[in-house]
Amino acid sequence: MFKKLVFVAMAASIIPVSSLFADTGAGCGLSTVVPWVNENKTVLQKLLAGTTNGISGNQSFAITTGTLGCTNEGFVKNEEKARMFVASNFDSLKTDIAQGQGEFLSTLAQIIEVPASQQQEFYSFTQSHYTQLFQSAQTSPQEMISQLSSQLRTHQSLNSIVM
């Protein structure tokens, strides 16, 4: 009996304390495919799910590969952030791109994670491709992002930027 208590105490100590307060269960990982742990409704089930994920060490793999209930939505989030930003600031961003500088262009560069060493090149690139990015007065934010993404893919040094 004492050995069981020691095992449970050791297993519980592996679980990050913050996961107990988040109330989102254990997230993704092996615990999402184990039926008795998957419920994540009681504290015990959450502890078992966190322990299962902690002991098996599979969450990093699952997050990277998008398996075991994980998604690699980090890329999607950046893309979605860029779409939301461009849609909300389209006119100001258009002006900044025409000028090759400005707060809105700088913010877009940060959202799509342009390395600091390449931001000036990114600003010049967008300015020189203004007519491709805004092909008409009716160009929508979505069309602009699509054009920017395809133009970046063809650039020699900026092609690693993912949108």
Side-chain angles (χ1 to χ4, degrees):
M1 179 69 178
F2 182 72
K3 288 181 180 178
K4 288 181 183 177
L5 288 173
V6 170
F7 175 76
V8 171
M10 288 176 54
S13 68
I14 295 172
I15 302 167
V17 175
S18 63
S19 67
L20 295 175
F21 299 110
D23 200 33
T24 58
C28 61
L30 185 60
S31 68
T32 61
V33 295
V34 179
W36 54 274
V37 174
N38 192 22
E39 298 290 324
N40 288 331
K41 292 182 179 176
T42 66
V43 172
L44 179 61
Q45 288 172 321
K46 289 179 184 179
L47 287 171
L48 291 173
T51 304
T52 301
N53 288 339
I55 290 173
S56 63
N58 59 42
Q59 278 187 314
S60 298
F61 172 78
I63 290 170
T64 305
T65 60
T67 57
L68 297 173
C70 297
T71 61
N72 50 6
E73 60 189 20
F75 295 114
V76 175
K77 284 185 176 178
N78 281 345
E79 182 179 345
E80 188 58 29
K81 284 183 198 174
R83 289 182 203 283
M84 291 174 57
F85 176 77
V86 170
S88 299
N89 302 289
F90 192 62
D91 292 332
S92 299
L93 183 61
K94 191 174 180 179
T95 301
D96 281 2
I97 289 174
Q99 296 172 350
Q101 63 181 357
E103 180 181 346
F104 295 95
L105 184 55
S106 174
T107 302
L108 177 62
Q110 291 173 10
I111 289 172
I112 62 173
E113 299 178 357
V114 176
S117 62
Q118 292 184 300
Q119 287 187 0
Q120 192 57 49
E121 184 179 8
F122 174 75
Y123 303 154
S124 298
F125 172 82
T126 55
Q127 185 180 29
S128 66
H129 288 78
Y130 182 88
T131 55
Q132 287 92 9
L133 299 177
F134 304 99
Q135 295 180 351
S136 73
Q138 288 77 35
T139 298
S140 69
Q142 180 61 39
E143 291 169 333
M144 179 275 206
I145 289 176
S146 178
Q147 274 299 318
L148 178 59
S149 181
S150 75
Q151 295 292 328
L152 284 172
R153 274 185 253 136
T154 63
H155 192 268
Q156 187 174 5
S157 62
L158 297 174
N159 61 5
S160 63
I161 298 168
V162 178
M163 287 192 65

